[in-house]
Amino acid sequence: MFNLRNMLRKTLILVWLFATVLCTTAQDTNPNGDLWDLRRCLEYALETNLTLKQALLDRQVSKVNLNESLENRYPSLSAGSNARRFFGRNVNPFTNEFVETAVNSLDMSANSSVPIFRGLRTANTIKRNRLTLDASEMDIEDARNTVALDVTAAYLSILLNQELLESAELQVSNTREQRERTNKLVEAGQLARNSLFELDAQIATEELNVVNARNQVELAYLQLMQVMNLDPGQPFGIIFPEMGDPDAMHPANPDEIYQYAESNQPNIKAANLRILSAEKDVAVSRGIWMPTLNLFGNISTGYADGRSRLASSTLVIDEQELIVDGTPVIVGFPDVENTFEDIPLGDQLNDNVNYGFGLSLNIPIYSNGFARASVQRSQISMQRARNNMDIQRQQLRQTIERAHLDAVSAFAAYNQGIKQLDQLQLALDNTKKQYEVGTANATDFLVASNNLIRAQNDVIRFKYDYIFKSKILDFYQDKPIGF
């Protein structure tokens, strides 16, 4: 038995030494040189969070859609030009004459259309897109709130695990002091040496608990840096604030919190705006059944080579000798010699201008079910938007009720834990006295000590659980997140 205990003691000491080396290495890889408070963490996370950036991009899309619908109120204008070359026997497009040579032609046109009536689709589309843009703004606020809660939870996790680490380190120190006192009692013959072995095993176990606590602190730091999208390789540490007294925190009635949150939470506002947007979308779809009236106009001109015009005319007398009654007579025949020139490009474009305008009326009669299906789809989307609003309200109420119940339960557990901690401290003090006079053995002392350790850790967890749940309730009341 004595050799077995020695072997157990050596094994636990080796485990402690190995874990201490690992812990030291982990500490060196993340030196906490740059200290951040909660506000700085929140500001940085809001600048780098990818989900928030996605919400900002969605808002840009909604803004583009709104601008597009606003532009649809104005006339449209388009222009075009065609250049062609014909070979063989063709018709000159501007003289309507057959020609055997190659013809180059150029025509240009401009068209404009002004919507006069489109079944109110333009107006309803503008209203729908404006509501969608407002909903996108609320989505951004909701994303900011989610980031703030995630950062606060990760920040509190560091505080919690750091306090658990300090508790574990304090326990190791207390057990080592007890080991020194026990060693004196063993040397004096008042206690068996077996008591030292049990305390050595307890110290090794508590040292391992310290290592695990340090690892949890490092993990909590990593989680916060990941939420912030911060490079884990850079120096990072947080400022440990003065925590408020849990006894001074009194959560409000959950019904009052819900009534306030329902009117102010951005996700509820976004859901309500999307209902209004869906209603306008139904009106847009119904506009497909209504007639449309447009005013249109166009102007065009063109050019073709081979077109010529009279440049000048010259009277020419053609003299011919005729025999009249056997007598030669010179007779003059008048003739006109015309000179032609190609019509220049500019003159042709000016001469060939033609324009016109008119009204276009379109009356839908049957569209193969397209209009009916569009209205039905938009009505279903509206029902889904209303159902989503109910879901958001239900989730909000459940979250608030759960957070309130958790806060109340954590506060009750915290108070009960404080009472239990006082009693266990008295029990440990009494056991320690009995142990030192030999009326209690090492096992009794270690059981009392471990009970106190568990109670201390439970109180720490209850405290931070209550603080976080209180922060959630504060968040739904638009109170600033802080300590």
Side-chain angles (χ1 to χ4, degrees), residues 178-194:
Q178 184 60 36
R179 203 267 182 196
E180 293 177 1
R181 288 193 294 269
T182 300
N183 184 55
K184 294 178 181 179
L185 295 173
V186 170
E187 295 296 334
Q190 297 180 11
L191 290 176
R193 187 168 295 275
N194 183 56

Side-chain angles (χ1 to χ4, degrees), residues 199-322:
L199 283 174
D200 287 338
Q202 178 71 10
I203 290 174
T205 301
E206 292 173 356
E207 290 282 3
L208 187 57
N209 292 338
V210 170
V211 173
N212 292 332
R214 282 201 183 102
N215 290 337
Q216 290 301 314
V217 171
E218 296 296 330
L219 179 60
Y221 268 107
L222 178 61
Q223 290 173 342
L224 176 57
M225 298 176 78
Q226 288 176 341
V227 171
M228 295 168 56
N229 201 23
L230 186 65
D231 181 11
Q234 74 176 70
F236 177 77
I238 68 168
I239 296 174
F240 291 84
E242 292 292 333
M243 302 302 296
D245 183 7
D247 293 327
M249 302 177 186
H250 302 287
N253 183 280
D255 290 333
E256 296 177 0
I257 298 175
Y258 173 75
Q259 293 299 328
Y260 182 86
E262 186 184 22
S263 303
N264 294 276
Q265 281 298 299
N267 61 325
I268 301 297
K269 292 181 179 180
N272 184 60
L273 288 169
R274 286 194 166 89
I275 292 177
L276 300 177
S277 175
E279 292 174 351
K280 294 302 177 183
D281 197 42
V282 172
V284 171
S285 299
R286 286 175 174 165
I288 300 176
W289 285 331
M290 303 182 70
T292 59
L293 180 64
N294 291 323
L295 172 66
F296 66 88
N298 57 41
I299 182 171
S300 62
T301 185
Y303 162 84
D305 61 4
R307 291 191 63 192
S308 60
R309 62 186 177 187
L310 182 64
S312 62
S313 297
T314 303
L315 180 62
V316 179
I317 304 299
D318 184 14
E319 296 181 346
Q320 296 184 8
E321 182 179 350
L322 299 177

Side-chain angles (χ1 to χ4, degrees), residues 27 29-38 40-42 44 151 154-155 158 217-218 220-226 228 230-239:
Q27 289 275 1
T29 57
N30 187 18
N32 299 333
D34 189 14
L35 299 181
W36 297 47
D37 60 6
L38 178 60
R40 184 180 175 188
C41 292
L42 290 173
Y44 186 89
V151 171
Y155 199 96
I158 295 176
V217 171
E218 296 296 330
Y221 268 107
L222 178 61
Q223 290 173 342
L224 176 57
M225 298 176 78
Q226 288 176 341
M228 295 168 56
L230 186 65
D231 181 11
Q234 74 176 70
F236 177 77
I238 68 168
I239 296 174

Side-chain angles (χ1 to χ4, degrees), residues 75-90:
S76 63
L77 178 64
S78 62
S81 176
N82 293 307
R84 295 183 292 271
R85 182 175 178 84
F86 301 98
F87 298 92
R89 182 178 177 82
N90 292 289

